[in-house]
Amino acid sequence: NNMRTVTGPELLQNTVFYKVGHHGSHNATLRALGLEQMTNEELIAFVPVYKDQAMKNRWLEMPFDPLVKRLKEKTGGRLVFSDPKEAIPSKASLKDLSSEQKNAFIAGLKACDLYYEYSFSL
């Protein structure tokens, strides 16, 4: 039997795709026990948020700016929002990534009318 126990920190260290919780709110992504343990250099994050609707609902801090800032740092800019007013990351905005990482991200991302599709291989 080749099975072994995998710990939560091990899963976080190997995370390459993070769907950000609860519209990027302040309380849906743990810091020290969550995001900071996501150390894979290929990390990509998607935030399901539509800021205009969040404002209408009086969810004034969705997405939570400090979380967005840290996600951009951790992902090297590979951060996509479902909000149509948010720009899709471009090669120019991915300045901290290698050419190979930029090309892989851009090639894997497909914007459709109602959703994004992302393809990647490990």
Side-chain angles (χ1 to χ4, degrees), residues 63-110:
F64 187 54
D65 288 338
L67 174 60
V68 169
K69 181 181 180 208
R70 188 63 182 132
L71 283 165
K72 283 181 181 176
E73 293 168 355
K74 296 285 288 185
T75 63
R78 292 171 293 197
L79 179 62
V80 179
F81 295 85
S82 61
D83 191 326
K85 291 183 178 179
E86 289 286 335
I88 298 170
S90 65
K91 283 187 182 182
S93 70
L94 301 171
K95 56 185 175 279
D96 293 335
L97 300 179
S98 69
S99 292
E100 183 179 300
Q101 289 173 315
K102 289 177 191 181
N103 291 336
F105 177 73
I106 298 298
L109 184 61
K110 179 182 174 188

Side-chain angles (χ1 to χ4, degrees), residues 22-54:
H22 197 252
H23 316 292
S25 70
H26 71 283
N27 62 351
T29 299
L30 293 173
R31 255 180 273 168
L33 297 176
L35 184 58
E36 295 308 321
Q37 291 187 29
M38 294 182 201
T39 56
N40 192 297
E41 67 180 25
E42 302 303 320
L43 181 64
I44 296 164
F46 277 63
V47 182
V49 67
Y50 182 45
K51 190 140 181 121
D52 288 349
Q53 186 61 48

